[in-house]
Amino acid sequence: MSELSLNTNSHITVLLEEAVQALAIKADGVYVDGTFGRGGHSRKILEKLGSSGRLIAFDRDLKAIESSKEITDPRFSMVHSHFAGMQAELSEMGVSKVDGILLDLGISSPQIDDASRGFSFRYDAPLDMRMDQSSGQTAADFLANTTEQHLGEVIKNYGEERFAKQIARAIITERNDGRAITTTGQLAKVVAGAVTRFEPGQNPATRTFQALRIYVNQELEELSLTMPQCLALLAPQGRLAVISFHSLEDRIVKQFIRDQENRDDLPANFPVRAADLPQPKLKGVGKTIKPSTKEVKANPRSRSAVLRVAERTNVA
């Protein structure tokens, strides 16, 4: 999820028009915004809904929940939950099928720009990194208790960092020498000392911060749990639109859609009639969509965004 902060009350929502258009909104439909953020997509969806339409939004960030109170539209409902709890929460609300689901993944600019959240190495602040600050372990907690091997795996797998082993060793050495890493500034300094080469213009701690954030919030695991729920919730011709910001997320989304499009996983030359093959439950809609040059210029954080769209078929 990425929104560019212009001031305390204004944000630029990534792929706003494209994502909402991809949902092919029906005036009387029921829609889910799985990542409310500061409500850019939700407000645009509400503009397109008729009087009998309905929008249910989810977010686990307490500040997003507070922001949602600005929307007093009776067609709108807000749920304090991660989107992996979507199906259970909707069931409690009496909703079994929806006409569209939008997921805007990752972290938003308000979260990055709030030093107290501990997401950014641009500030020296407590090393928190939790999307939901009301529960779970902080990044500092994780670093205080993990092993060098596990930490190295986290940084390598979630940050795609080639110096993962060296960084993990430096962090654990710092900890074992009695200097627990509890702030973003400490962490950035230790990582910088362990990384000998990095991309020009990129802070050497970038990939490590990404890895810890993804791990602490279990972002990839939650996405993997959520995709089958989206499939189960979508009514025939319902649309799924997912905005990803890095290859790890996008790979999960792309593979899930492909798996549901291509249900023929039988061996070659297996004796079966075409009519008896499993039928696709999703079909991709169009090509991947990326921000325009104009949008990237206005919001540089949007440059890595990728929007994938799929439609539910009639197959049960």
Side-chain angles (χ1 to χ4, degrees):
M1 186 190 304
S2 184
E3 296 169 328
L4 175 63
S5 298
L6 299 177
N7 53 54
T8 56
N9 299 308
S10 178
H11 311 285
I12 297 177
T13 304
V14 171
L15 292 170
L16 175 60
E17 298 292 341
E18 295 89 339
V20 175
Q21 183 178 355
L23 292 175
I25 291 186
K26 302 172 184 176
D28 60 350
V30 179
Y31 293 87
V32 171
D33 182 351
T35 43
F36 179 81
R38 292 302 181 269
H41 289 122
S42 282
R43 289 182 174 86
K44 180 61 67 173
I45 292 170
L46 287 169
E47 286 179 11
K48 296 183 177 295
L49 284 176
S51 59
S52 60
R54 186 176 184 186
L55 173 63
I56 304 161
F58 290 77
D59 211 298
R60 53 181 168 174
D61 190 303
L62 294 174
K63 291 194 174 180
I65 301 302
E66 188 63 30
S67 178
S68 74
K69 295 177 182 177
E70 298 172 4
I71 301 179
T72 58
D73 194 315
R75 301 169 300 170
F76 175 76
S77 302
M78 186 73 203
V79 181
H80 180 205
S81 170
H82 47 76
F83 50 65
M86 183 187 303
Q87 195 168 16
E89 294 286 350
L90 290 176
S91 178
E92 286 191 13
M93 300 169 76
V95 177
S96 60
K97 291 294 178 184
V98 300
D99 298 290
I101 299 171
L102 172 62
L103 300 177
D104 181 8
L105 306 176
I107 188 172
S108 69
S109 286
Q111 290 170 321
I112 295 172
D113 294 335
D114 182 348
S116 68
R117 303 300 298 273
F119 286 114
S120 177
F121 42 73
R122 289 185 294 143
Y123 316 100
D124 190 16
L127 191 59
D128 192 321
M129 292 195 182
R130 291 172 299 169
M131 298 286 191
D132 183 352
Q133 290 187 299
S134 68
S135 64
Q137 69 171 346
T138 66
D141 292 335
F142 170 62
L143 294 183
N145 296 289
T146 188
T147 64
E148 181 177 327
Q149 180 178 347
H150 186 208
L151 178 57
E153 291 170 353
V154 167
I155 296 172
K156 178 182 178 181
N157 295 335
Y158 295 150
E160 299 179 297
E161 171 61 74
R162 57 179 171 166
F163 297 108
K165 287 186 178 180
Q166 294 92 319
I167 293 169
R169 186 177 304 119
I171 290 172
I172 298 303
T173 297
E174 189 83 357
R175 186 186 75 187
N176 291 344
D177 285 346
R179 294 183 295 273
I181 297 177
T182 59
T183 71
T184 54
Q186 285 177 280
L187 178 59
K189 183 177 180 180
V190 172
V191 173
V195 175
T196 57
R197 295 188 302 278
F198 50 91
E199 298 172 29
Q202 184 181 79
N203 188 292
T206 298
R207 294 180 181 274
T208 298
F209 270 67
Q210 172 187 296
L212 291 177
R213 188 204 84 220
I214 291 173
Y215 177 79
V216 165
N217 295 289
Q218 296 292 285
E219 293 176 37
L220 301 185
E221 291 79 5
E222 294 227 340
L223 179 58
S224 295
L225 289 171
T226 302
M227 295 301 288
Q229 295 182 45
C230 292
L231 180 66
L233 286 165
L234 285 172
Q237 284 78 58
R239 292 284 185 90
L240 171 64
V242 185
I243 303 173
S244 305
F245 287 87
H246 58 72
S247 61
L248 297 173
E249 297 169 334
D250 186 50
R251 195 175 303 147
I252 292 171
V253 176
K254 178 172 65 175
Q255 191 59 55
F256 183 83
I257 293 173
R258 284 184 177 178
D259 287 347
Q260 297 304 321
E261 281 184 312
N262 180 20
R263 304 292 292 164
D264 180 8
D265 54 2
L266 296 172
N269 302 318
F270 192 84
V272 63
R273 294 177 303 174
D276 293 329
L277 289 171
Q279 297 301 302
K281 294 186 176 183
L282 283 178
K283 62 178 181 179
V285 176
K287 297 181 179 179
T288 56
I289 300 170
K290 297 184 179 181
S292 64
T293 302
K294 180 180 179 181
E295 179 169 0
V296 173
K297 185 176 181 180
N299 180 4
R301 289 175 181 167
S302 73
R303 64 185 178 277
S304 60
V306 175
L307 169 62
R308 293 186 185 273
V309 185
E311 184 174 290
R312 187 70 163 90
T313 67
N314 292 319
V315 177

